[in-house]
Coordinates of all heavy atoms in Angstrom, one line a residue:
F725 N 55.6 114.5 127.5 CA 54.8 115.6 128.1 C 54.5 116.6 127.0 O 55.5 117.1 126.3 CB 55.6 116.2 129.2 CG 55.6 115.3 130.4 CD1 56.4 114.2 130.5 CD2 54.7 115.5 131.5 CE1 56.4 113.4 131.6 CE2 54.6 114.7 132.6 CZ 55.5 113.6 132.7
H726 N 53.3 116.9 126.8 CA 52.9 117.8 125.7 C 52.4 119.2 126.0 O 52.2 120.0 125.2 CB 51.7 117.1 124.9 CG 50.5 116.9 125.7 ND1 50.3 115.8 126.5 CD2 49.5 117.7 126.0 CE1 49.1 115.9 127.1 NE2 48.6 117.1 126.9
R727 N 52.3 119.5 127.3 CA 51.9 120.8 127.8 C 52.7 121.2 129.0 O 52.8 120.4 129.9 CB 50.4 120.8 128.1 CG 49.8 122.1 128.4 CD 48.3 121.9 128.5 NE 47.6 123.2 128.9 CZ 46.6 123.3 129.6 NH1 46.0 122.2 130.1 NH2 46.0 124.4 129.9
I728 N 53.2 122.4 129.0 CA 54.0 122.9 130.1 C 53.6 124.3 130.4 O 53.7 125.2 129.6 CB 55.5 122.8 129.8 CG1 56.0 121.4 129.6 CG2 56.3 123.5 130.9 CD1 57.4 121.2 129.0
I729 N 53.2 124.5 131.7 CA 52.9 125.9 132.1 C 53.7 126.2 133.3 O 53.4 125.7 134.4 CB 51.4 126.1 132.4 CG1 50.5 125.7 131.2 CG2 51.1 127.5 132.9 CD1 49.0 125.7 131.4
P730 N 54.8 126.9 133.2 CA 55.7 127.2 134.3 C 55.0 127.7 135.5 O 54.1 128.5 135.4 CB 56.7 128.2 133.7 CG 56.7 127.9 132.2 CD 55.3 127.6 131.9
G731 N 55.4 127.2 136.7 CA 54.7 127.6 137.9 C 53.4 127.0 138.2 O 52.8 127.2 139.3
F732 N 52.9 126.2 137.2 CA 51.6 125.6 137.4 C 51.7 124.0 137.3 O 51.5 123.3 138.2 CB 50.6 126.1 136.4 CG 49.2 125.5 136.4 CD1 48.6 125.2 137.6 CD2 48.5 125.3 135.3 CE1 47.3 124.6 137.7 CE2 47.3 124.7 135.3 CZ 46.7 124.4 136.5
M733 N 52.0 123.5 136.1 CA 52.0 122.1 135.9 C 52.6 121.7 134.6 O 52.8 122.5 133.7 CB 50.6 121.5 136.0 CG 49.6 122.0 134.9 SD 49.7 121.0 133.5 CE 48.6 121.9 132.4
V734 N 53.0 120.4 134.5 CA 53.4 119.7 133.2 C 52.4 118.6 133.0 O 52.0 118.0 134.0 CB 54.9 119.2 133.3 CG1 55.9 120.3 133.5 CG2 55.0 118.2 134.4
Q735 N 52.0 118.4 131.8 CA 50.9 117.5 131.5 C 51.4 116.5 130.4 O 52.0 116.8 129.4 CB 49.7 118.2 130.9 CG 48.5 117.3 130.7 CD 47.2 118.1 130.4 OE1 47.1 119.3 130.7 NE2 46.3 117.5 129.7
G736 N 51.0 115.2 130.6 CA 51.4 114.2 129.7 C 50.3 113.1 129.7 O 49.2 113.3 130.2
G737 N 50.6 111.9 129.1 CA 49.7 110.8 129.1 C 48.9 110.6 127.9 O 48.1 109.6 127.8
D738 N 49.1 111.4 126.9 CA 48.4 111.2 125.6 C 49.2 110.2 124.8 O 50.0 110.6 124.0 CB 48.2 112.5 124.9 CG 47.5 112.4 123.5 OD1 47.1 111.2 123.2 OD2 47.3 113.4 122.8
Y739 N 48.9 109.0 125.0 CA 49.7 107.9 124.3 C 49.2 107.7 122.9 O 49.8 107.0 122.1 CB 49.6 106.6 125.1 CG 48.2 106.1 125.2 CD1 47.7 105.2 124.2 CD2 47.3 106.4 126.2 CE1 46.4 104.7 124.2 CE2 46.0 106.0 126.2 CZ 45.6 105.1 125.2 OH 44.3 104.6 125.2
E740 N 48.1 108.3 122.5 CA 47.5 108.1 121.2 C 48.1 109.1 120.2 O 48.6 108.7 119.1 CB 46.0 108.3 121.2 CG 45.3 107.2 122.0 CD 43.8 107.5 122.1 OE1 43.4 108.6 122.6 OE2 43.0 106.6 121.6
N741 N 48.0 110.4 120.5 CA 48.5 111.5 119.6 C 49.7 112.2 120.0 O 50.2 113.0 119.3 CB 47.3 112.4 119.3 CG 46.1 111.7 118.7 OD1 46.2 110.7 118.0 ND2 44.9 112.1 119.2
F742 N 50.0 112.1 121.3 CA 51.2 112.8 121.9 C 51.1 114.3 121.9 O 52.1 115.0 122.0 CB 52.5 112.3 121.3 CG 52.6 110.8 121.2 CD1 52.4 110.1 120.1 CD2 53.0 110.2 122.4 CE1 52.5 108.8 120.0 CE2 53.1 108.8 122.4 CZ 52.8 108.1 121.2
D743 N 49.8 114.9 121.7 CA 49.7 116.3 121.6 C 48.6 116.9 122.5 O 48.2 118.0 122.4 CB 49.5 116.7 120.2 CG 48.2 116.2 119.6 OD1 47.4 115.5 120.3 OD2 48.0 116.4 118.4
G744 N 47.9 116.0 123.3 CA 46.8 116.5 124.2 C 45.5 116.2 123.6 O 44.5 116.5 124.3
T745 N 45.3 115.7 122.4 CA 44.0 115.6 121.8 C 43.5 114.1 122.0 O 42.3 113.9 121.7 CB 44.1 115.9 120.3 OG1 45.0 115.0 119.6 CG2 44.5 117.3 120.0
G746 N 44.3 113.2 122.5 CA 43.9 111.9 122.7 C 44.1 111.5 124.1 O 44.3 112.3 125.0
G747 N 43.9 110.2 124.4 CA 44.2 109.7 125.7 C 43.0 109.0 126.4 O 42.7 109.3 127.6
E748 N 42.4 108.1 125.7 CA 41.3 107.3 126.3 C 42.0 106.4 127.4 O 43.2 106.2 127.4 CB 40.7 106.4 125.3 CG 39.8 107.0 124.3 CD 39.0 106.1 123.5 OE1 39.5 104.9 123.3 OE2 37.9 106.4 123.1
C749 N 41.1 106.0 128.4 CA 41.7 105.2 129.4 C 41.9 103.8 128.8 O 41.5 103.5 127.7 CB 40.7 105.1 130.6 SG 39.2 104.1 130.4
C750 N 42.6 102.9 129.5 CA 43.0 101.6 129.0 C 41.8 100.7 128.6 O 42.0 99.9 127.8 CB 43.9 100.9 130.0 SG 43.1 100.6 131.6
N751 N 40.7 101.0 129.1 CA 39.5 100.3 128.8 C 38.6 101.0 127.7 O 37.5 100.6 127.4 CB 38.6 100.0 130.0 CG 39.3 99.2 131.0 OD1 40.0 98.2 130.7 ND2 39.1 99.5 132.3
G752 N 39.2 102.1 127.2 CA 38.4 102.9 126.2 C 37.6 103.9 126.9 O 37.1 103.7 128.0
G753 N 37.4 105.0 126.3 CA 36.6 106.1 126.8 C 37.1 106.7 128.1 O 38.4 106.9 128.2
T754 N 36.3 107.1 129.0 CA 36.7 107.7 130.2 C 36.2 106.9 131.4 O 35.5 106.0 131.3 CB 36.1 109.2 130.3 OG1 34.6 109.1 130.3 CG2 36.5 110.0 129.1
F755 N 36.7 107.4 132.6 CA 36.2 106.7 133.8 C 35.9 107.7 134.9 O 36.3 108.9 134.8 CB 37.2 105.7 134.3 CG 38.6 106.2 134.7 CD1 38.8 106.6 136.0 CD2 39.6 106.4 133.8 CE1 40.1 107.1 136.4 CE2 40.8 106.9 134.1 CZ 41.1 107.2 135.4
P756 N 35.0 107.4 135.9 CA 34.6 108.3 136.8 C 35.7 108.8 137.8 O 36.6 108.1 138.1 CB 33.4 107.6 137.6 CG 33.7 106.2 137.3 CD 34.4 106.0 136.0
D757 N 35.4 109.9 138.4 CA 36.3 110.4 139.5 C 36.2 109.4 140.7 O 35.2 108.8 140.9 CB 35.8 111.8 140.0 CG 35.9 112.9 139.0 OD1 36.8 112.7 138.1 OD2 35.2 113.8 139.0
E758 N 37.3 109.2 141.3 CA 37.4 108.2 142.4 C 37.4 108.8 143.8 O 36.6 108.4 144.6 CB 38.6 107.3 142.2 CG 38.4 106.5 140.9 CD 39.7 105.7 140.5 OE1 40.7 105.9 141.2 OE2 39.6 104.9 139.6
S759 N 38.3 109.8 144.0 CA 38.4 110.3 145.4 C 39.1 111.7 145.3 O 40.0 111.9 144.5 CB 39.3 109.4 146.2 OG 39.6 110.0 147.5
F760 N 38.7 112.6 146.1 CA 39.3 113.9 146.2 C 40.0 114.1 147.6 O 40.1 115.2 148.1 CB 38.3 115.0 146.0 CG 37.7 115.0 144.6 CD1 36.3 114.6 144.4 CD2 38.4 115.3 143.5 CE1 35.8 114.6 143.1 CE2 37.9 115.3 142.3 CZ 36.6 115.0 142.1
V761 N 40.5 113.0 148.1 CA 41.2 113.0 149.4 C 42.5 113.8 149.4 O 42.8 114.5 150.3 CB 41.4 111.6 150.0 CG1 42.2 111.6 151.2 CG2 40.0 110.9 150.2
I762 N 43.3 113.6 148.3 CA 44.6 114.2 148.3 C 44.5 115.6 147.7 O 43.8 115.8 146.7 CB 45.6 113.4 147.4 CG1 45.8 112.0 147.9 CG2 46.9 114.1 147.2 CD1 46.6 111.0 147.0
S763 N 45.1 116.6 148.4 CA 45.0 118.0 148.0 C 46.2 118.3 147.0 O 47.3 117.7 147.1 CB 45.1 118.8 149.2 OG 45.1 120.2 148.9
H764 N 45.9 119.3 146.2 CA 47.0 119.9 145.3 C 47.7 121.0 146.1 O 47.8 122.1 145.7 CB 46.3 120.4 144.1 CG 45.6 119.4 143.2 ND1 44.3 119.1 143.5 CD2 46.0 118.7 142.2 CE1 43.9 118.2 142.6 NE2 44.9 117.9 141.8
D765 N 48.3 120.6 147.2 CA 48.8 121.6 148.2 C 50.3 121.8 148.1 O 50.8 122.5 148.9 CB 48.4 121.2 149.6 CG 48.9 119.8 150.0 OD1 49.5 119.1 149.2 OD2 48.7 119.5 151.2
R766 N 51.0 121.2 147.1 CA 52.4 121.4 147.0 C 52.9 120.9 145.6 O 52.1 120.3 144.9 CB 53.1 120.6 148.1 CG 52.9 119.1 148.0 CD 53.4 118.4 149.3 NE 53.0 117.0 149.3 CZ 51.8 116.5 149.7 NH1 50.8 117.4 150.0 NH2 51.5 115.3 149.7
E767 N 54.1 121.2 145.3 CA 54.6 120.7 144.0 C 54.8 119.2 144.0 O 54.9 118.6 145.1 CB 56.0 121.4 143.7 CG 57.1 120.8 144.4 CD 58.5 121.4 143.9 OE1 58.5 122.1 142.9 OE2 59.5 121.0 144.5
G768 N 54.7 118.6 142.9 CA 54.9 117.2 142.8 C 53.7 116.3 142.9 O 53.8 115.1 142.9
I769 N 52.5 116.9 143.1 CA 51.3 116.1 143.1 C 50.9 115.7 141.7 O 51.0 116.4 140.8 CB 50.1 117.0 143.7 CG1 50.4 117.4 145.2 CG2 48.8 116.2 143.6 CD1 50.6 116.2 146.1
I770 N 50.6 114.4 141.6 CA 50.3 113.8 140.3 C 48.7 113.6 140.3 O 48.1 113.1 141.2 CB 50.9 112.4 140.1 CG1 52.4 112.5 140.3 CG2 50.6 111.9 138.7 CD1 53.2 111.2 140.4
S771 N 48.1 114.1 139.3 CA 46.7 114.3 139.2 C 46.1 114.0 137.9 O 46.8 114.1 136.8 CB 46.3 115.7 139.7 OG 44.9 115.8 139.8
M772 N 44.9 113.5 137.8 CA 44.2 113.2 136.5 C 43.8 114.5 135.8 O 43.2 115.4 136.4 CB 43.0 112.4 136.7 CG 43.3 111.0 137.2 SD 44.4 110.0 136.2 CE 43.6 110.0 134.6
A773 N 44.2 114.6 134.5 CA 43.7 115.7 133.7 C 42.3 115.2 133.2 O 42.1 114.0 133.0 CB 44.6 115.9 132.5
N774 N 41.3 116.1 133.2 CA 40.0 115.7 132.7 C 39.6 116.7 131.6 O 40.3 117.6 131.2 CB 39.0 115.6 133.8 CG 38.8 116.9 134.6 OD1 38.9 118.0 134.0 ND2 38.6 116.8 135.9
R775 N 38.4 116.5 131.1 CA 37.9 117.4 130.0 C 37.0 118.5 130.6 O 36.0 118.8 130.0 CB 37.1 116.5 129.1 CG 38.0 115.5 128.4 CD 37.3 114.6 127.4 NE 38.2 113.6 126.9 CZ 37.9 112.4 126.4 NH1 36.7 112.0 126.4 NH2 38.8 111.6 126.0
D776 N 37.5 119.1 131.6 CA 36.8 120.2 132.3 C 35.4 119.9 132.8 O 34.5 120.7 132.8 CB 36.7 121.5 131.4 CG 38.1 122.1 131.2 OD1 38.9 122.1 132.2 OD2 38.4 122.6 130.1
A777 N 35.2 118.6 133.1 CA 33.9 118.1 133.6 C 34.2 116.9 134.5 O 35.2 116.2 134.4 CB 33.0 117.8 132.5
A778 N 33.3 116.7 135.5 CA 33.4 115.6 136.4 C 33.3 114.3 135.6 O 32.6 114.2 134.5 CB 32.2 115.6 137.4
N779 N 34.0 113.3 136.1 CA 33.9 111.9 135.6 C 34.4 111.8 134.1 O 33.8 111.0 133.4 CB 32.5 111.4 135.8 CG 32.1 111.4 137.2 OD1 32.8 110.9 138.1 ND2 30.9 112.0 137.4
T780 N 35.4 112.5 133.7 CA 35.9 112.5 132.3 C 37.4 112.2 132.3 O 38.1 112.7 131.5 CB 35.6 113.8 131.6 OG1 36.2 114.9 132.3 CG2 34.1 114.0 131.4
N781 N 37.8 111.3 133.2 CA 39.3 110.9 133.3 C 39.6 110.0 132.2 O 38.8 109.1 131.8 CB 39.6 110.3 134.6 CG 39.2 111.2 135.8 OD1 39.9 112.2 136.0 ND2 38.2 110.8 136.6
G782 N 40.8 110.1 131.6 CA 41.3 109.2 130.5 C 42.7 108.8 130.9 O 42.9 108.4 132.1
S783 N 43.6 108.9 130.0 CA 45.0 108.5 130.3 C 45.9 109.7 130.7 O 47.0 109.6 131.2 CB 45.6 107.8 129.2 OG 45.7 108.7 128.0
Q784 N 45.4 111.0 130.4 CA 46.2 112.1 130.7 C 46.3 112.5 132.1 O 45.3 112.3 132.9 CB 45.7 113.3 129.8 CG 45.9 113.1 128.4 CD 45.6 114.3 127.6 OE1 46.0 115.4 128.0 NE2 44.9 114.2 126.4
F785 N 47.4 113.0 132.5 CA 47.7 113.4 133.9 C 48.6 114.6 133.9 O 49.2 115.0 132.9 CB 48.4 112.2 134.7 CG 49.7 111.9 134.1 CD1 50.9 112.5 134.7 CD2 49.9 111.1 133.0 CE1 52.1 112.2 134.2 CE2 51.2 110.8 132.5 CZ 52.3 111.4 133.1
F786 N 48.7 115.2 135.1 CA 49.7 116.3 135.2 C 50.4 116.2 136.5 O 49.9 115.5 137.5 CB 49.0 117.7 135.0 CG 47.9 118.0 136.0 CD1 48.1 118.6 137.2 CD2 46.6 117.6 135.7 CE1 47.1 118.9 138.1 CE2 45.5 117.9 136.6 CZ 45.8 118.5 137.8
I787 N 51.5 116.9 136.6 CA 52.3 117.0 137.8 C 52.4 118.5 138.2 O 52.8 119.3 137.4 CB 53.7 116.5 137.6 CG1 53.7 115.0 137.2 CG2 54.5 116.6 138.9 CD1 55.0 114.5 136.8
T788 N 52.0 118.8 139.4 CA 51.9 120.2 139.8 C 53.4 120.8 140.0 O 54.3 120.0 140.4 CB 51.1 120.5 141.1 OG1 51.7 119.7 142.2 CG2 49.7 120.1 140.9
L789 N 53.5 122.1 139.8 CA 54.8 122.7 140.0 C 54.7 123.7 141.2 O 55.7 124.4 141.4 CB 55.2 123.5 138.8 CG 55.4 122.6 137.5 CD1 55.6 123.5 136.3 CD2 56.6 121.7 137.7
G790 N 53.7 123.6 141.9 CA 53.4 124.4 143.1 C 52.1 124.1 143.7 O 51.4 123.2 143.2
K791 N 51.7 124.9 144.7 CA 50.4 124.8 145.3 C 49.3 125.2 144.3 O 49.4 126.2 143.6 CB 50.3 125.7 146.5 CG 49.0 125.5 147.3 CD 48.9 126.4 148.5 CE 50.0 126.1 149.5 NZ 49.8 126.8 150.8
C792 N 48.2 124.3 144.1 CA 47.2 124.6 143.1 C 45.8 124.2 143.8 O 45.1 123.3 143.3 CB 47.4 123.7 141.9 SG 48.9 124.0 141.0
L793 N 45.5 124.8 144.9 CA 44.3 124.5 145.7 C 43.0 124.6 144.9 O 42.0 124.0 145.2 CB 44.2 125.3 146.9 CG 45.4 125.0 147.9 CD1 45.3 126.0 149.1 CD2 45.4 123.6 148.4
H794 N 43.0 125.5 143.8 CA 41.8 125.7 143.0 C 41.4 124.4 142.2 O 40.3 124.3 141.7 CB 42.0 126.9 142.1 CG 43.1 126.7 141.0 ND1 44.4 126.7 141.3 CD2 43.0 126.3 139.7 CE1 45.1 126.5 140.2 NE2 44.3 126.3 139.2
L795 N 42.4 123.4 142.2 CA 42.1 122.2 141.5 C 41.4 121.1 142.4 O 40.9 120.2 141.9 CB 43.4 121.6 140.9 CG 44.1 122.5 139.9 CD1 45.4 121.8 139.5 CD2 43.2 122.7 138.7
D796 N 41.5 121.4 143.7 CA 40.9 120.4 144.7 C 39.4 120.3 144.4 O 38.7 121.3 144.2 CB 41.1 120.9 146.1 CG 42.5 120.7 146.6 OD1 43.3 120.1 145.8 OD2 42.8 121.2 147.7
G797 N 38.9 119.1 144.4 CA 37.5 118.8 144.1 C 37.1 118.8 142.6 O 36.0 118.5 142.3
K798 N 38.1 119.1 141.8 CA 37.8 119.1 140.3 C 38.7 118.1 139.6 O 38.3 117.6 138.6 CB 38.1 120.5 139.8 CG 37.2 121.6 140.3 CD 37.6 122.9 139.8 CE 36.8 124.0 140.5 NZ 37.3 125.3 140.1
H799 N 39.9 117.8 140.1 CA 40.8 116.9 139.5 C 41.2 115.9 140.6 O 41.6 116.3 141.7 CB 42.1 117.6 138.9 CG 41.7 118.4 137.8 ND1 41.8 118.0 136.5 CD2 41.4 119.7 137.7 CE1 41.4 119.0 135.7 NE2 41.2 120.0 136.4
V800 N 41.2 114.6 140.3 CA 41.6 113.6 141.2 C 43.1 113.4 141.3 O 43.8 113.0 140.4 CB 41.0 112.2 140.8 CG1 41.4 111.1 141.8 CG2 39.5 112.3 140.8
A801 N 43.7 113.8 142.5 CA 45.1 113.6 142.7 C 45.3 112.2 143.2 O 44.5 111.7 144.1 CB 45.6 114.6 143.8
F802 N 46.3 111.5 142.7 CA 46.4 110.1 143.1 C 47.8 109.8 143.6 O 48.1 108.6 143.9 CB 46.0 109.2 142.0 CG 46.8 109.4 140.7 CD1 48.0 108.6 140.5 CD2 46.4 110.3 139.7 CE1 48.7 108.8 139.3 CE2 47.1 110.4 138.5 CZ 48.3 109.7 138.3
G803 N 48.7 110.7 143.7 CA 50.1 110.4 144.1 C 51.0 111.6 144.1 O 50.5 112.8 143.9
Q804 N 52.2 111.4 144.4 CA 53.2 112.5 144.4 C 54.5 112.0 143.9 O 54.9 110.8 144.0 CB 53.3 113.1 145.8 CG 54.0 112.3 146.8 CD 54.1 113.0 148.1 OE1 53.3 113.8 148.5 NE2 55.0 112.6 148.9
V805 N 55.3 112.9 143.4 CA 56.7 112.5 142.9 C 57.5 112.4 144.2 O 57.6 113.3 145.1 CB 57.3 113.7 142.1 CG1 58.7 113.4 141.7 CG2 56.4 113.8 140.8
V806 N 58.1 111.2 144.4 CA 59.0 111.0 145.6 C 60.5 111.1 145.3 O 61.3 111.3 146.2 CB 58.6 109.7 146.3 CG1 57.2 109.7 146.8 CG2 58.8 108.5 145.3
D807 N 60.8 111.0 144.0 CA 62.2 111.1 143.6 C 62.2 111.5 142.1 O 61.5 111.0 141.3 CB 62.9 109.7 143.7 CG 64.4 109.8 143.5 OD1 65.0 110.8 143.8 OD2 65.0 108.8 143.1
G808 N 63.1 112.5 141.8 CA 63.2 113.0 140.5 C 62.4 114.3 140.2 O 62.3 114.7 139.0
M809 N 62.1 115.0 141.2 CA 61.4 116.3 141.0 C 62.2 117.3 140.3 O 61.7 118.1 139.5 CB 60.9 116.9 142.3 CG 59.9 118.0 142.2 SD 58.4 117.5 141.4 CE 57.8 119.1 140.8
E810 N 63.5 117.2 140.4 CA 64.5 118.0 139.7 C 64.3 117.9 138.2 O 64.3 118.8 137.4 CB 65.9 117.8 140.1 CG 66.9 118.8 139.5 CD 66.6 120.2 140.0 OE1 66.1 120.4 141.2 OE2 66.9 121.2 139.3
A811 N 64.1 116.6 137.7 CA 63.8 116.4 136.3 C 62.5 117.1 135.8 O 62.5 117.6 134.7 CB 63.7 114.9 136.0
V812 N 61.5 117.1 136.7 CA 60.2 117.7 136.4 C 60.5 119.2 136.3 O 60.0 119.9 135.3 CB 59.1 117.4 137.4 CG1 57.9 118.1 137.1 CG2 58.9 115.9 137.4
R813 N 61.2 119.8 137.2 CA 61.5 121.2 137.2 C 62.3 121.6 136.0 O 62.0 122.7 135.3 CB 62.3 121.6 138.5 CG 61.4 121.7 139.7 CD 62.2 122.2 140.9 NE 61.8 121.7 142.1 CZ 62.4 120.8 142.9 NH1 63.5 120.3 142.5 NH2 61.8 120.3 144.0
N814 N 63.3 120.8 135.6 CA 64.0 121.1 134.4 C 63.1 121.0 133.1 O 63.3 121.9 132.2 CB 65.2 120.0 134.2 CG 66.3 120.2 135.2 OD1 66.4 121.3 135.8 ND2 67.0 119.2 135.5
M815 N 62.2 120.1 133.1 CA 61.3 120.0 132.0 C 60.4 121.3 131.9 O 60.1 121.8 130.8 CB 60.4 118.7 132.1 CG 59.5 118.5 130.9 SD 58.6 117.0 131.0 CE 58.3 116.7 132.7
A816 N 60.0 121.7 133.1 CA 59.1 122.9 133.1 C 59.8 124.2 132.6 O 59.2 125.2 132.3 CB 58.7 123.1 134.6
A817 N 61.1 124.1 132.5 CA 61.9 125.3 132.1 C 62.2 125.3 130.6 O 62.8 126.3 130.2 CB 63.2 125.4 132.9
V818 N 61.8 124.3 129.9 CA 62.1 124.3 128.4 C 61.2 125.3 127.7 O 60.2 125.8 128.2 CB 61.9 122.9 127.8 CG1 62.8 121.9 128.5 CG2 60.4 122.5 127.8
E819 N 61.6 125.7 126.5 CA 60.9 126.6 125.6 C 59.6 126.0 125.2 O 59.5 124.9 124.8 CB 61.8 127.0 124.4 CG 61.1 128.0 123.5 CD 61.9 128.2 122.2 OE1 63.0 127.6 122.1 OE2 61.5 129.0 121.4
T820 N 58.5 126.8 125.3 CA 57.2 126.4 124.8 C 56.7 127.4 123.7 O 57.2 128.5 123.7 CB 56.2 126.3 125.9 OG1 56.1 127.6 126.6 CG2 56.6 125.3 127.0
D821 N 55.7 127.0 123.0 CA 55.1 127.8 122.0 C 53.9 128.6 122.6 O 53.7 128.5 123.8 CB 54.7 127.1 120.7 CG 53.6 126.1 120.9 OD1 52.9 126.1 122.0 OD2 53.4 125.2 120.0
E822 N 53.2 129.3 121.8 CA 52.0 130.1 122.3 C 50.9 129.2 122.9 O 50.1 129.7 123.6 CB 51.5 131.0 121.2 CG 50.9 130.3 120.0 CD 51.9 129.8 119.0 OE1 53.1 130.1 119.1 OE2 51.4 129.0 118.1
K823 N 50.9 127.9 122.5 CA 49.9 127.0 123.0 C 50.4 126.2 124.2 O 49.7 125.3 124.7 CB 49.4 126.1 121.9 CG 48.7 126.8 120.8 CD 48.2 125.8 119.8 CE 47.4 126.5 118.7 NZ 47.0 125.6 117.6
K824 N 51.5 126.6 124.8 CA 52.1 126.0 125.9 C 52.7 124.6 125.6 O 52.9 123.8 126.5 CB 51.2 125.9 127.2 CG 50.6 127.2 127.6 CD 51.7 128.2 128.0 CE 51.1 129.5 128.5 NZ 52.0 130.6 128.5
K825 N 52.9 124.3 124.4 CA 53.5 123.0 124.0 C 55.0 123.2 123.9 O 55.5 124.2 123.4 CB 52.9 122.6 122.6 CG 51.4 122.2 122.7 CD 51.0 121.7 121.3 CE 49.5 121.4 121.3 NZ 49.0 120.4 122.3
P826 N 55.7 122.2 124.4 CA 57.2 122.3 124.4 C 57.6 122.3 122.9 O 57.1 121.6 122.1 CB 57.7 121.1 125.1 CG 56.5 120.2 125.3 CD 55.3 121.0 125.1
V827 N 58.6 123.2 122.6 CA 59.1 123.2 121.2 C 59.7 121.9 120.9 O 59.6 121.4 119.8 CB 60.1 124.4 121.1 CG1 60.8 124.3 119.7 CG2 59.4 125.7 121.3
A828 N 60.4 121.2 121.8 CA 61.0 119.9 121.6 C 60.2 119.0 122.6 O 60.0 119.3 123.7 CB 62.4 119.9 121.9
M829 N 59.7 117.8 122.1 CA 59.0 116.9 122.9 C 59.8 116.5 124.1 O 61.0 116.3 124.1 CB 58.7 115.6 122.1 CG 58.0 114.5 122.8 SD 56.4 114.9 123.5 CE 55.4 114.7 122.1
Q830 N 59.1 116.4 125.3 CA 59.7 116.1 126.5 C 59.3 114.7 127.0 O 58.1 114.4 127.0 CB 59.3 117.1 127.6 CG 59.7 118.6 127.3 CD 61.2 118.7 127.1 OE1 62.0 118.5 128.1 NE2 61.7 119.1 126.0
R831 N 60.3 113.9 127.2 CA 60.0 112.5 127.7 C 60.9 112.2 128.9 O 62.0 112.5 128.9 CB 60.3 111.5 126.6 CG 59.3 111.7 125.4 CD 59.6 110.7 124.3 NE 58.8 111.1 123.2 CZ 58.5 110.4 122.1 NH1 59.0 109.2 122.1 NH2 57.8 110.9 121.1
I832 N 60.3 111.4 129.8 CA 61.0 111.0 131.0 C 61.0 109.4 130.9 O 60.0 108.8 130.7 CB 60.4 111.4 132.3 CG1 60.5 112.9 132.4 CG2 61.1 110.8 133.5 CD1 59.8 113.5 133.6

């Protein structure tokens, strides 16, 4: 996990550079948005991170740390944490730098 914003989300999935600058999908490039059925209405929602535009999903994702309704219709939520949310909360509490990157890499 390369980005942590307490009270908002933890972000990971950059398997290329591990810093948020990479993360093509498994087929290369990006893929289109699929569905906006699931709402970001509670903590633990797992959602696709995109490049601030529609249809730009890659491998990066985030887990919400609370209600984030402003993300509905912009980021495709595809699941929720069913076990282990305490580990996510603990990760969200680690020290970060001015760019919201954890001082020590966080891995689950």
